[in-house]
PDB file of all heavy atoms in Angstrom:
ATOM      1  N   SER A   1      -7.755   9.561   9.351  1.00 88.00           N
ATOM      2  CA  SER A   1      -7.956   8.565   8.308  1.00 88.00           C
ATOM      3  C   SER A   1      -6.734   8.540   7.389  1.00 88.00           C
ATOM      4  O   SER A   1      -6.018   9.536   7.241  1.00 88.00           O
ATOM      5  CB  SER A   1      -9.212   8.887   7.490  1.00 88.00           C
ATOM      6  OG  SER A   1      -9.061  10.127   6.817  1.00 88.00           O
ATOM      7  N   VAL A   2      -6.499   7.378   6.776  1.00 92.00           N
ATOM      8  CA  VAL A   2      -5.391   7.205   5.833  1.00 92.00           C
ATOM      9  C   VAL A   2      -5.977   6.644   4.546  1.00 92.00           C
ATOM     10  O   VAL A   2      -6.666   5.620   4.572  1.00 92.00           O
ATOM     11  CB  VAL A   2      -4.311   6.253   6.388  1.00 92.00           C
ATOM     12  CG1 VAL A   2      -3.162   6.116   5.398  1.00 92.00           C
ATOM     13  CG2 VAL A   2      -3.805   6.729   7.742  1.00 92.00           C
ATOM     14  N   GLU A   3      -5.684   7.294   3.432  1.00 93.00           N
ATOM     15  CA  GLU A   3      -6.258   6.870   2.155  1.00 93.00           C
ATOM     16  C   GLU A   3      -5.157   6.645   1.127  1.00 93.00           C
ATOM     17  O   GLU A   3      -4.326   7.525   0.874  1.00 93.00           O
ATOM     18  CB  GLU A   3      -7.229   7.930   1.638  1.00 93.00           C
ATOM     19  CG  GLU A   3      -7.824   7.584   0.279  1.00 93.00           C
ATOM     20  CD  GLU A   3      -8.635   8.709  -0.318  1.00 93.00           C
ATOM     21  OE1 GLU A   3      -8.723   9.775   0.332  1.00 93.00           O
ATOM     22  OE2 GLU A   3      -9.167   8.542  -1.430  1.00 93.00           O
ATOM     23  N   PHE A   4      -5.142   5.464   0.538  1.00 94.00           N
ATOM     24  CA  PHE A   4      -4.265   5.147  -0.583  1.00 94.00           C
ATOM     25  C   PHE A   4      -5.108   5.215  -1.854  1.00 94.00           C
ATOM     26  O   PHE A   4      -6.070   4.455  -2.016  1.00 94.00           O
ATOM     27  CB  PHE A   4      -3.663   3.753  -0.430  1.00 94.00           C
ATOM     28  CG  PHE A   4      -2.692   3.613   0.704  1.00 94.00           C
ATOM     29  CD1 PHE A   4      -3.148   3.344   1.990  1.00 94.00           C
ATOM     30  CD2 PHE A   4      -1.335   3.749   0.506  1.00 94.00           C
ATOM     31  CE1 PHE A   4      -2.266   3.214   3.049  1.00 94.00           C
ATOM     32  CE2 PHE A   4      -0.438   3.622   1.555  1.00 94.00           C
ATOM     33  CZ  PHE A   4      -0.907   3.360   2.829  1.00 94.00           C
ATOM     34  N   ASP A   5      -4.752   6.124  -2.755  1.00 93.00           N
ATOM     35  CA  ASP A   5      -5.525   6.354  -3.965  1.00 93.00           C
ATOM     36  C   ASP A   5      -4.682   6.005  -5.191  1.00 93.00           C
ATOM     37  O   ASP A   5      -3.853   6.789  -5.635  1.00 93.00           O
ATOM     38  CB  ASP A   5      -5.983   7.814  -4.021  1.00 93.00           C
ATOM     39  CG  ASP A   5      -6.873   8.105  -5.234  1.00 93.00           C
ATOM     40  OD1 ASP A   5      -7.268   7.154  -5.932  1.00 93.00           O
ATOM     41  OD2 ASP A   5      -7.177   9.286  -5.460  1.00 93.00           O
ATOM     42  N   ARG A   6      -4.852   4.778  -5.698  1.00 93.00           N
ATOM     43  CA  ARG A   6      -4.146   4.299  -6.895  1.00 93.00           C
ATOM     44  C   ARG A   6      -2.638   4.540  -6.769  1.00 93.00           C
ATOM     45  O   ARG A   6      -1.975   5.034  -7.688  1.00 93.00           O
ATOM     46  CB  ARG A   6      -4.693   4.968  -8.151  1.00 93.00           C
ATOM     47  CG  ARG A   6      -6.186   4.732  -8.367  1.00 93.00           C
ATOM     48  CD  ARG A   6      -6.718   5.512  -9.550  1.00 93.00           C
ATOM     49  NE  ARG A   6      -6.127   5.028 -10.789  1.00 93.00           N
ATOM     50  CZ  ARG A   6      -6.584   3.990 -11.490  1.00 93.00           C
ATOM     51  NH1 ARG A   6      -7.649   3.318 -11.052  1.00 93.00           N
ATOM     52  NH2 ARG A   6      -6.017   3.627 -12.608  1.00 93.00           N
ATOM     53  N   VAL A   7      -2.091   4.151  -5.628  1.00 93.00           N
ATOM     54  CA  VAL A   7      -0.680   4.395  -5.328  1.00 93.00           C
ATOM     55  C   VAL A   7       0.207   3.417  -6.091  1.00 93.00           C
ATOM     56  O   VAL A   7      -0.014   2.203  -6.082  1.00 93.00           O
ATOM     57  CB  VAL A   7      -0.417   4.279  -3.813  1.00 93.00           C
ATOM     58  CG1 VAL A   7       1.084   4.241  -3.524  1.00 93.00           C
ATOM     59  CG2 VAL A   7      -1.068   5.428  -3.072  1.00 93.00           C
ATOM     60  N   GLY A   8       1.207   3.963  -6.752  1.00 93.00           N
ATOM     61  CA  GLY A   8       2.243   3.164  -7.391  1.00 93.00           C
ATOM     62  C   GLY A   8       3.604   3.601  -6.881  1.00 93.00           C
ATOM     63  O   GLY A   8       3.815   4.783  -6.565  1.00 93.00           O
ATOM     64  N   PHE A   9       4.529   2.654  -6.785  1.00 93.00           N
ATOM     65  CA  PHE A   9       5.837   3.003  -6.230  1.00 93.00           C
ATOM     66  C   PHE A   9       6.878   1.980  -6.666  1.00 93.00           C
ATOM     67  O   PHE A   9       6.595   0.785  -6.796  1.00 93.00           O
ATOM     68  CB  PHE A   9       5.792   3.036  -4.700  1.00 93.00           C
ATOM     69  CG  PHE A   9       7.139   3.226  -4.057  1.00 93.00           C
ATOM     70  CD1 PHE A   9       7.772   4.459  -4.075  1.00 93.00           C
ATOM     71  CD2 PHE A   9       7.794   2.158  -3.458  1.00 93.00           C
ATOM     72  CE1 PHE A   9       9.023   4.636  -3.500  1.00 93.00           C
ATOM     73  CE2 PHE A   9       9.043   2.320  -2.886  1.00 93.00           C
ATOM     74  CZ  PHE A   9       9.653   3.559  -2.910  1.00 93.00           C
ATOM     75  N   GLY A  10       8.094   2.481  -6.894  1.00 91.00           N
ATOM     76  CA  GLY A  10       9.243   1.636  -7.162  1.00 91.00           C
ATOM     77  C   GLY A  10      10.474   2.235  -6.517  1.00 91.00           C
ATOM     78  O   GLY A  10      10.659   3.459  -6.541  1.00 91.00           O
ATOM     79  N   TYR A  11      11.303   1.404  -5.890  1.00 89.00           N
ATOM     80  CA  TYR A  11      12.526   1.909  -5.270  1.00 89.00           C
ATOM     81  C   TYR A  11      13.470   2.439  -6.345  1.00 89.00           C
ATOM     82  O   TYR A  11      13.466   1.944  -7.487  1.00 89.00           O
ATOM     83  CB  TYR A  11      13.204   0.807  -4.464  1.00 89.00           C
ATOM     84  CG  TYR A  11      12.443   0.428  -3.214  1.00 89.00           C
ATOM     85  CD1 TYR A  11      11.621  -0.696  -3.188  1.00 89.00           C
ATOM     86  CD2 TYR A  11      12.530   1.212  -2.073  1.00 89.00           C
ATOM     87  CE1 TYR A  11      10.905  -1.037  -2.045  1.00 89.00           C
ATOM     88  CE2 TYR A  11      11.820   0.880  -0.923  1.00 89.00           C
ATOM     89  CZ  TYR A  11      11.013  -0.244  -0.924  1.00 89.00           C
ATOM     90  OH  TYR A  11      10.307  -0.564   0.207  1.00 89.00           O
ATOM     91  N   PRO A  12      14.274   3.462  -6.020  1.00 84.00           N
ATOM     92  CA  PRO A  12      15.168   4.054  -7.025  1.00 84.00           C
ATOM     93  C   PRO A  12      16.038   2.997  -7.702  1.00 84.00           C
ATOM     94  O   PRO A  12      16.704   2.202  -7.041  1.00 84.00           O
ATOM     95  CB  PRO A  12      16.022   5.033  -6.199  1.00 84.00           C
ATOM     96  CG  PRO A  12      15.151   5.391  -5.036  1.00 84.00           C
ATOM     97  CD  PRO A  12      14.374   4.147  -4.719  1.00 84.00           C
ATOM     98  N   GLY A  13      16.001   3.007  -9.016  1.00 84.00           N
ATOM     99  CA  GLY A  13      16.806   2.064  -9.783  1.00 84.00           C
ATOM    100  C   GLY A  13      16.222   0.675  -9.901  1.00 84.00           C
ATOM    101  O   GLY A  13      16.856  -0.206 -10.496  1.00 84.00           O
ATOM    102  N   GLY A  14      15.043   0.455  -9.346  1.00 83.00           N
ATOM    103  CA  GLY A  14      14.435  -0.873  -9.388  1.00 83.00           C
ATOM    104  C   GLY A  14      13.080  -0.859 -10.069  1.00 83.00           C
ATOM    105  O   GLY A  14      12.545   0.199 -10.408  1.00 83.00           O
ATOM    106  N   PRO A  15      12.508  -2.038 -10.270  1.00 89.00           N
ATOM    107  CA  PRO A  15      11.192  -2.118 -10.907  1.00 89.00           C
ATOM    108  C   PRO A  15      10.091  -1.693  -9.949  1.00 89.00           C
ATOM    109  O   PRO A  15      10.308  -1.618  -8.729  1.00 89.00           O
ATOM    110  CB  PRO A  15      11.078  -3.612 -11.249  1.00 89.00           C
ATOM    111  CG  PRO A  15      11.904  -4.291 -10.213  1.00 89.00           C
ATOM    112  CD  PRO A  15      13.049  -3.365  -9.936  1.00 89.00           C
ATOM    113  N   PRO A  16       8.899  -1.386 -10.448  1.00 90.00           N
ATOM    114  CA  PRO A  16       7.777  -1.028  -9.566  1.00 90.00           C
ATOM    115  C   PRO A  16       7.446  -2.173  -8.610  1.00 90.00           C
ATOM    116  O   PRO A  16       7.468  -3.346  -8.999  1.00 90.00           O
ATOM    117  CB  PRO A  16       6.631  -0.758 -10.541  1.00 90.00           C
ATOM    118  CG  PRO A  16       7.295  -0.453 -11.845  1.00 90.00           C
ATOM    119  CD  PRO A  16       8.536  -1.280 -11.882  1.00 90.00           C
ATOM    120  N   VAL A  17       7.141  -1.835  -7.357  1.00 91.00           N
ATOM    121  CA  VAL A  17       6.777  -2.849  -6.365  1.00 91.00           C
ATOM    122  C   VAL A  17       5.326  -2.699  -5.915  1.00 91.00           C
ATOM    123  O   VAL A  17       4.775  -3.622  -5.312  1.00 91.00           O
ATOM    124  CB  VAL A  17       7.708  -2.792  -5.136  1.00 91.00           C
ATOM    125  CG1 VAL A  17       9.124  -3.152  -5.520  1.00 91.00           C
ATOM    126  CG2 VAL A  17       7.680  -1.414  -4.490  1.00 91.00           C
ATOM    127  N   LEU A  18       4.713  -1.557  -6.191  1.00 92.00           N
ATOM    128  CA  LEU A  18       3.298  -1.341  -5.886  1.00 92.00           C
ATOM    129  C   LEU A  18       2.587  -0.871  -7.147  1.00 92.00           C
ATOM    130  O   LEU A  18       3.129  -0.055  -7.908  1.00 92.00           O
ATOM    131  CB  LEU A  18       3.119  -0.289  -4.785  1.00 92.00           C
ATOM    132  CG  LEU A  18       3.671  -0.628  -3.393  1.00 92.00           C
ATOM    133  CD1 LEU A  18       3.505   0.564  -2.457  1.00 92.00           C
ATOM    134  CD2 LEU A  18       2.985  -1.864  -2.805  1.00 92.00           C
ATOM    135  N   HIS A  19       1.384  -1.392  -7.365  1.00 92.00           N
ATOM    136  CA  HIS A  19       0.644  -1.089  -8.580  1.00 92.00           C
ATOM    137  C   HIS A  19      -0.800  -0.717  -8.228  1.00 92.00           C
ATOM    138  O   HIS A  19      -1.578  -1.570  -7.795  1.00 92.00           O
ATOM    139  CB  HIS A  19       0.642  -2.292  -9.530  1.00 92.00           C
ATOM    140  CG  HIS A  19       1.993  -2.889  -9.764  1.00 92.00           C
ATOM    141  ND1 HIS A  19       2.859  -2.439 -10.745  1.00 92.00           N
ATOM    142  CD2 HIS A  19       2.646  -3.912  -9.141  1.00 92.00           C
ATOM    143  CE1 HIS A  19       3.971  -3.149 -10.722  1.00 92.00           C
ATOM    144  NE2 HIS A  19       3.877  -4.055  -9.749  1.00 92.00           N
ATOM    145  N   GLU A  20      -1.131   0.548  -8.389  1.00 92.00           N
ATOM    146  CA  GLU A  20      -2.503   1.040  -8.219  1.00 92.00           C
ATOM    147  C   GLU A  20      -3.164   0.500  -6.936  1.00 92.00           C
ATOM    148  O   GLU A  20      -4.254  -0.068  -6.972  1.00 92.00           O
ATOM    149  CB  GLU A  20      -3.348   0.690  -9.443  1.00 92.00           C
ATOM    150  CG  GLU A  20      -2.859   1.366 -10.716  1.00 92.00           C
ATOM    151  CD  GLU A  20      -3.831   1.187 -11.859  1.00 92.00           C
ATOM    152  OE1 GLU A  20      -4.695   0.293 -11.776  1.00 92.00           O
ATOM    153  OE2 GLU A  20      -3.739   1.950 -12.836  1.00 92.00           O
ATOM    154  N   VAL A  21      -2.480   0.685  -5.838  1.00 93.00           N
ATOM    155  CA  VAL A  21      -3.005   0.244  -4.539  1.00 93.00           C
ATOM    156  C   VAL A  21      -4.019   1.271  -4.042  1.00 93.00           C
ATOM    157  O   VAL A  21      -3.694   2.453  -3.895  1.00 93.00           O
ATOM    158  CB  VAL A  21      -1.864   0.081  -3.519  1.00 93.00           C
ATOM    159  CG1 VAL A  21      -2.421  -0.214  -2.129  1.00 93.00           C
ATOM    160  CG2 VAL A  21      -0.917  -1.020  -3.960  1.00 93.00           C
ATOM    161  N   SER A  22      -5.229   0.825  -3.794  1.00 93.00           N
ATOM    162  CA  SER A  22      -6.289   1.723  -3.324  1.00 93.00           C
ATOM    163  C   SER A  22      -7.059   1.071  -2.187  1.00 93.00           C
ATOM    164  O   SER A  22      -7.580  -0.027  -2.342  1.00 93.00           O
ATOM    165  CB  SER A  22      -7.258   2.066  -4.472  1.00 93.00           C
ATOM    166  OG  SER A  22      -6.615   2.799  -5.487  1.00 93.00           O
ATOM    167  N   PHE A  23      -7.083   1.731  -1.051  1.00 93.00           N
ATOM    168  CA  PHE A  23      -7.949   1.364   0.067  1.00 93.00           C
ATOM    169  C   PHE A  23      -7.909   2.502   1.072  1.00 93.00           C
ATOM    170  O   PHE A  23      -7.025   3.364   1.031  1.00 93.00           O
ATOM    171  CB  PHE A  23      -7.538   0.035   0.722  1.00 93.00           C
ATOM    172  CG  PHE A  23      -6.191   0.061   1.397  1.00 93.00           C
ATOM    173  CD1 PHE A  23      -6.065   0.383   2.737  1.00 93.00           C
ATOM    174  CD2 PHE A  23      -5.044  -0.261   0.688  1.00 93.00           C
ATOM    175  CE1 PHE A  23      -4.831   0.396   3.369  1.00 93.00           C
ATOM    176  CE2 PHE A  23      -3.800  -0.254   1.304  1.00 93.00           C
ATOM    177  CZ  PHE A  23      -3.691   0.077   2.637  1.00 93.00           C
ATOM    178  N   THR A  24      -8.876   2.532   1.963  1.00 93.00           N
ATOM    179  CA  THR A  24      -8.980   3.602   2.959  1.00 93.00           C
ATOM    180  C   THR A  24      -9.020   3.008   4.356  1.00 93.00           C
ATOM    181  O   THR A  24      -9.715   2.016   4.593  1.00 93.00           O
ATOM    182  CB  THR A  24     -10.238   4.456   2.724  1.00 93.00           C
ATOM    183  OG1 THR A  24     -10.162   5.046   1.422  1.00 93.00           O
ATOM    184  CG2 THR A  24     -10.351   5.555   3.769  1.00 93.00           C
ATOM    185  N   VAL A  25      -8.265   3.609   5.267  1.00 92.00           N
ATOM    186  CA  VAL A  25      -8.293   3.242   6.675  1.00 92.00           C
ATOM    187  C   VAL A  25      -9.107   4.309   7.397  1.00 92.00           C
ATOM    188  O   VAL A  25      -8.602   5.421   7.622  1.00 92.00           O
ATOM    189  CB  VAL A  25      -6.881   3.153   7.263  1.00 92.00           C
ATOM    190  CG1 VAL A  25      -6.932   2.675   8.718  1.00 92.00           C
ATOM    191  CG2 VAL A  25      -5.998   2.233   6.432  1.00 92.00           C
ATOM    192  N   PRO A  26     -10.348   4.050   7.744  1.00 90.00           N
ATOM    193  CA  PRO A  26     -11.147   5.079   8.425  1.00 90.00           C
ATOM    194  C   PRO A  26     -10.535   5.462   9.770  1.00 90.00           C
ATOM    195  O   PRO A  26      -9.868   4.653  10.426  1.00 90.00           O
ATOM    196  CB  PRO A  26     -12.515   4.403   8.593  1.00 90.00           C
ATOM    197  CG  PRO A  26     -12.544   3.306   7.570  1.00 90.00           C
ATOM    198  CD  PRO A  26     -11.129   2.831   7.464  1.00 90.00           C
ATOM    199  N   ALA A  27     -10.766   6.687  10.173  1.00 88.00           N
ATOM    200  CA  ALA A  27     -10.228   7.179  11.439  1.00 88.00           C
ATOM    201  C   ALA A  27     -10.756   6.352  12.599  1.00 88.00           C
ATOM    202  O   ALA A  27     -11.940   6.015  12.664  1.00 88.00           O
ATOM    203  CB  ALA A  27     -10.605   8.645  11.626  1.00 88.00           C
ATOM    204  N   GLY A  28      -9.858   5.988  13.516  1.00 86.00           N
ATOM    205  CA  GLY A  28     -10.249   5.252  14.705  1.00 86.00           C
ATOM    206  C   GLY A  28     -10.491   3.776  14.501  1.00 86.00           C
ATOM    207  O   GLY A  28     -11.041   3.118  15.382  1.00 86.00           O
ATOM    208  N   THR A  29     -10.086   3.228  13.359  1.00 89.00           N
ATOM    209  CA  THR A  29     -10.284   1.804  13.084  1.00 89.00           C
ATOM    210  C   THR A  29      -8.932   1.105  12.979  1.00 89.00           C
ATOM    211  O   THR A  29      -7.874   1.733  12.963  1.00 89.00           O
ATOM    212  CB  THR A  29     -11.072   1.588  11.790  1.00 89.00           C
ATOM    213  OG1 THR A  29     -10.305   2.082  10.672  1.00 89.00           O
ATOM    214  CG2 THR A  29     -12.413   2.300  11.850  1.00 89.00           C
ATOM    215  N   ARG A  30      -9.003  -0.212  12.864  1.00 90.00           N
ATOM    216  CA  ARG A  30      -7.803  -1.031  12.786  1.00 90.00           C
ATOM    217  C   ARG A  30      -7.802  -1.794  11.467  1.00 90.00           C
ATOM    218  O   ARG A  30      -8.723  -2.542  11.168  1.00 90.00           O
ATOM    219  CB  ARG A  30      -7.781  -1.995  13.969  1.00 90.00           C
ATOM    220  CG  ARG A  30      -6.586  -2.905  14.016  1.00 90.00           C
ATOM    221  CD  ARG A  30      -6.511  -3.692  15.304  1.00 90.00           C
ATOM    222  NE  ARG A  30      -7.739  -3.697  16.081  1.00 90.00           N
ATOM    223  CZ  ARG A  30      -7.907  -4.376  17.201  1.00 90.00           C
ATOM    224  NH1 ARG A  30      -6.910  -5.100  17.665  1.00 90.00           N
ATOM    225  NH2 ARG A  30      -9.043  -4.349  17.859  1.00 90.00           N
ATOM    226  N   THR A  31      -6.762  -1.562  10.658  1.00 92.00           N
ATOM    227  CA  THR A  31      -6.632  -2.227   9.364  1.00 92.00           C
ATOM    228  C   THR A  31      -5.354  -3.052   9.358  1.00 92.00           C
ATOM    229  O   THR A  31      -4.293  -2.574   9.767  1.00 92.00           O
ATOM    230  CB  THR A  31      -6.605  -1.204   8.214  1.00 92.00           C
ATOM    231  OG1 THR A  31      -7.883  -0.569   8.120  1.00 92.00           O
ATOM    232  CG2 THR A  31      -6.298  -1.875   6.889  1.00 92.00           C
ATOM    233  N   ALA A  32      -5.461  -4.283   8.891  1.00 92.00           N
ATOM    234  CA  ALA A  32      -4.310  -5.187   8.825  1.00 92.00           C
ATOM    235  C   ALA A  32      -3.904  -5.400   7.372  1.00 92.00           C
ATOM    236  O   ALA A  32      -4.762  -5.504   6.488  1.00 92.00           O
ATOM    237  CB  ALA A  32      -4.646  -6.525   9.476  1.00 92.00           C
ATOM    238  N   LEU A  33      -2.592  -5.435   7.140  1.00 93.00           N
ATOM    239  CA  LEU A  33      -2.044  -5.746   5.827  1.00 93.00           C
ATOM    240  C   LEU A  33      -1.442  -7.141   5.893  1.00 93.00           C
ATOM    241  O   LEU A  33      -0.534  -7.391   6.687  1.00 93.00           O
ATOM    242  CB  LEU A  33      -0.971  -4.727   5.437  1.00 93.00           C
ATOM    243  CG  LEU A  33      -1.393  -3.254   5.406  1.00 93.00           C
ATOM    244  CD1 LEU A  33      -0.198  -2.364   5.083  1.00 93.00           C
ATOM    245  CD2 LEU A  33      -2.504  -3.037   4.401  1.00 93.00           C
ATOM    246  N   VAL A  34      -1.947  -8.051   5.079  1.00 92.00           N
ATOM    247  CA  VAL A  34      -1.452  -9.422   5.073  1.00 92.00           C
ATOM    248  C   VAL A  34      -1.120  -9.817   3.648  1.00 92.00           C
ATOM    249  O   VAL A  34      -1.547  -9.176   2.687  1.00 92.00           O
ATOM    250  CB  VAL A  34      -2.485 -10.404   5.678  1.00 92.00           C
ATOM    251  CG1 VAL A  34      -2.871  -9.995   7.087  1.00 92.00           C
ATOM    252  CG2 VAL A  34      -3.728 -10.496   4.801  1.00 92.00           C
ATOM    253  N   GLY A  35      -0.361 -10.897   3.525  1.00 89.00           N
ATOM    254  CA  GLY A  35       0.021 -11.395   2.221  1.00 89.00           C
ATOM    255  C   GLY A  35       1.379 -12.049   2.280  1.00 89.00           C
ATOM    256  O   GLY A  35       2.075 -11.989   3.308  1.00 89.00           O
ATOM    257  N   PRO A  36       1.801 -12.687   1.198  1.00 88.00           N
ATOM    258  CA  PRO A  36       3.116 -13.343   1.191  1.00 88.00           C
ATOM    259  C   PRO A  36       4.251 -12.342   1.288  1.00 88.00           C
ATOM    260  O   PRO A  36       4.068 -11.135   1.073  1.00 88.00           O
ATOM    261  CB  PRO A  36       3.129 -14.077  -0.171  1.00 88.00           C
ATOM    262  CG  PRO A  36       2.095 -13.408  -0.991  1.00 88.00           C
ATOM    263  CD  PRO A  36       1.073 -12.850  -0.074  1.00 88.00           C
ATOM    264  N   SER A  37       5.437 -12.828   1.644  1.00 85.00           N
ATOM    265  CA  SER A  37       6.617 -11.958   1.738  1.00 85.00           C
ATOM    266  C   SER A  37       6.892 -11.323   0.379  1.00 85.00           C
ATOM    267  O   SER A  37       6.770 -11.957  -0.658  1.00 85.00           O
ATOM    268  CB  SER A  37       7.838 -12.773   2.183  1.00 85.00           C
ATOM    269  OG  SER A  37       7.633 -13.304   3.482  1.00 85.00           O
ATOM    270  N   GLY A  38       7.266 -10.038   0.410  1.00 85.00           N
ATOM    271  CA  GLY A  38       7.557  -9.326  -0.820  1.00 85.00           C
ATOM    272  C   GLY A  38       6.345  -8.739  -1.504  1.00 85.00           C
ATOM    273  O   GLY A  38       6.462  -8.215  -2.616  1.00 85.00           O
ATOM    274  N   ALA A  39       5.187  -8.785  -0.832  1.00 86.00           N
ATOM    275  CA  ALA A  39       3.966  -8.268  -1.456  1.00 86.00           C
ATOM    276  C   ALA A  39       3.883  -6.747  -1.394  1.00 86.00           C
ATOM    277  O   ALA A  39       3.054  -6.150  -2.086  1.00 86.00           O
ATOM    278  CB  ALA A  39       2.735  -8.882  -0.789  1.00 86.00           C
ATOM    279  N   GLY A  40       4.710  -6.097  -0.557  1.00 89.00           N
ATOM    280  CA  GLY A  40       4.706  -4.643  -0.470  1.00 89.00           C
ATOM    281  C   GLY A  40       4.099  -4.087   0.796  1.00 89.00           C
ATOM    282  O   GLY A  40       3.819  -2.885   0.879  1.00 89.00           O
ATOM    283  N   LYS A  41       3.935  -4.926   1.816  1.00 90.00           N
ATOM    284  CA  LYS A  41       3.257  -4.479   3.045  1.00 90.00           C
ATOM    285  C   LYS A  41       4.087  -3.430   3.787  1.00 90.00           C
ATOM    286  O   LYS A  41       3.583  -2.357   4.130  1.00 90.00           O
ATOM    287  CB  LYS A  41       2.995  -5.695   3.948  1.00 90.00           C
ATOM    288  CG  LYS A  41       2.182  -6.802   3.279  1.00 90.00           C
ATOM    289  CD  LYS A  41       1.895  -7.948   4.221  1.00 90.00           C
ATOM    290  CE  LYS A  41       3.139  -8.698   4.639  1.00 90.00           C
ATOM    291  NZ  LYS A  41       3.816  -9.366   3.493  1.00 90.00           N
ATOM    292  N   SER A  42       5.345  -3.728   4.058  1.00 89.00           N
ATOM    293  CA  SER A  42       6.193  -2.773   4.782  1.00 89.00           C
ATOM    294  C   SER A  42       6.448  -1.520   3.956  1.00 89.00           C
ATOM    295  O   SER A  42       6.629  -0.428   4.509  1.00 89.00           O
ATOM    296  CB  SER A  42       7.523  -3.431   5.163  1.00 89.00           C
ATOM    297  OG  SER A  42       7.324  -4.507   6.067  1.00 89.00           O
ATOM    298  N   THR A  43       6.466  -1.659   2.642  1.00 92.00           N
ATOM    299  CA  THR A  43       6.654  -0.497   1.776  1.00 92.00           C
ATOM    300  C   THR A  43       5.527   0.503   1.956  1.00 92.00           C
ATOM    301  O   THR A  43       5.746   1.719   1.947  1.00 92.00           O
ATOM    302  CB  THR A  43       6.739  -0.945   0.312  1.00 92.00           C
ATOM    303  OG1 THR A  43       7.853  -1.831   0.142  1.00 92.00           O
ATOM    304  CG2 THR A  43       6.924   0.246  -0.611  1.00 92.00           C
ATOM    305  N   LEU A  44       4.302   0.027   2.142  1.00 93.00           N
ATOM    306  CA  LEU A  44       3.174   0.928   2.359  1.00 93.00           C
ATOM    307  C   LEU A  44       3.364   1.760   3.624  1.00 93.00           C
ATOM    308  O   LEU A  44       3.066   2.959   3.650  1.00 93.00           O
ATOM    309  CB  LEU A  44       1.875   0.134   2.440  1.00 93.00           C
ATOM    310  CG  LEU A  44       1.363  -0.477   1.121  1.00 93.00           C
ATOM    311  CD1 LEU A  44       0.105  -1.299   1.377  1.00 93.00           C
ATOM    312  CD2 LEU A  44       1.075   0.611   0.099  1.00 93.00           C
TER     313      LEU A  44
END
């Protein structure tokens, strides 16, 4: 399983790109990340 618990992140020298991201990927399941470009999907 993969769990994001109020995750925040910003690249060094830049502004925050993730703000309190929380969700859980249960073991053996398939979770999709969707949204507009620059939303932080690849960063996760």
Side-chain angles (χ1 to χ4, degrees):
S1 63
V2 181
E3 178 188 1
F4 292 85
D5 183 9
R6 301 175 66 85
V7 168
F9 173 74
Y11 290 99
V17 295
L18 296 176
H19 311 273
E20 296 189 343
V21 173
S22 295
F23 65 91
T24 300
V25 184
T29 64
R30 180 172 15 176
T31 293
L33 303 177
V34 303
S37 297
K41 303 183 294 296
S42 296
T43 299
L44 289 177

